[in-house]
Amino acid sequence: MPYLISGVLPPGALARTAQPTITGDGLVLRPWRAADAPAVYEAFQAALRQWHIRGADSEDEVRGWIAEWVRSWRGERQAQWAVVDPGTGALLGRVALRNMLLGDGAAEVAYWTVAAARGRGVAPRGVTALVHWAFGVGFHRLELTHSVRNEASCHVATKTGFALEGTKRSALLHPDGWHDMHLHARVEGHPA
């Protein structure tokens, strides 16, 4: 049975080109490199453990993640970027589009920052640059979820124009138990 509409983004819309480097508001979002493994490993030894369900046991394990992040671009499943300082190249964080559904023009935004970059507006600036790129290539709806206990992530979501749409009850199991998750979204063409 044929579909009555075409997909928002056709298969191959991303994979036929190399993953771009994105610049915006004093940040560079670039594809991940194996050399980033030590900095990512270090980031996961600190406060990221509180809000993430994944831990890093070694730099070799993180190199495996990075290899998968690179493959996921070609498979059009995820798009992950390292957020770096344009002057020093130091890793400041990560922004990503996860759970991409190209035909629906939808994806989930995710982000984190290294401890040393917190309080400098890295997450909101990185998310803003990512959203601008995503809408520019044809995505229509971007969602963002976070634990209702993570007030900093809620602040990033609202600061970057993601409207709160509701609470997903008992939606994600963290090491300390089930968390309710806020669901925020932005839709292309609607004011932030």
Side-chain angles (χ1 to χ4, degrees):
M1 180 178 298
Y3 287 98
L4 299 176
I5 57 170
S6 299
V8 176
L9 287 162
L14 301 181
R16 70 174 150 246
T17 62
Q19 183 176 355
T21 295
I22 303 166
T23 58
D25 202 6
L27 299 174
V28 173
L29 284 56
R30 64 157 171 78
W32 287 96
R33 304 172 184 154
D36 295 321
V40 174
Y41 174 76
E42 182 64 31
F44 271 81
Q45 303 314 300
L48 286 182
R49 288 182 174 261
Q50 182 177 5
W51 303 118
H52 289 266
I53 60 173
R54 189 176 208 178
D57 290 331
S58 70
E59 289 180 18
D60 283 338
E61 179 182 10
V62 171
R63 272 187 277 285
W65 298 355
I66 291 170
E68 176 53 34
W69 294 343
V70 171
R71 284 191 302 272
S72 67
W73 171 267
R74 292 190 301 268
E76 298 183 320
R77 298 178 310 278
Q78 298 183 59
Q80 306 253 359
W81 282 268
V83 179
V84 300
D85 181 284
T88 66
L91 181 68
L92 302 174
R94 163 251 197 181
V95 294
L97 294 178
R98 301 184 310 181
N99 305 317
M100 294 190 315
L101 300 171
L102 296 186
D104 294 339
E108 180 185 358
V109 172
Y111 52 88
W112 52 256
T113 56
V114 300
R118 295 204 181 104
R120 296 173 30 199
V122 170
R125 290 184 291 139
V127 168
T128 298
L130 176 63
V131 167
H132 180 74
W133 175 84
F135 286 155
V137 298
F139 281 92
H140 177 72
R141 178 181 167 86
L142 300 175
E143 295 183 349
L144 187 158
T145 61
H146 64 82
S147 170
V148 297
R149 300 179 200 170
N150 189 339
E151 293 178 17
S153 272
C154 199
H155 179 71
V156 170
T158 56
K159 187 172 184 176
T160 57
F162 282 78
L164 179 62
E165 293 189 337
T167 302
K168 297 167 62 174
R169 295 179 302 129
S170 198
L172 189 63
L173 181 60
H174 282 66
D176 65 348
W178 288 98
H179 284 225
D180 291 352
M181 303 293 284
H182 273 166
L183 170 63
H184 297 260
R186 278 194 63 177
V187 176
E188 196 280 323
H190 292 249

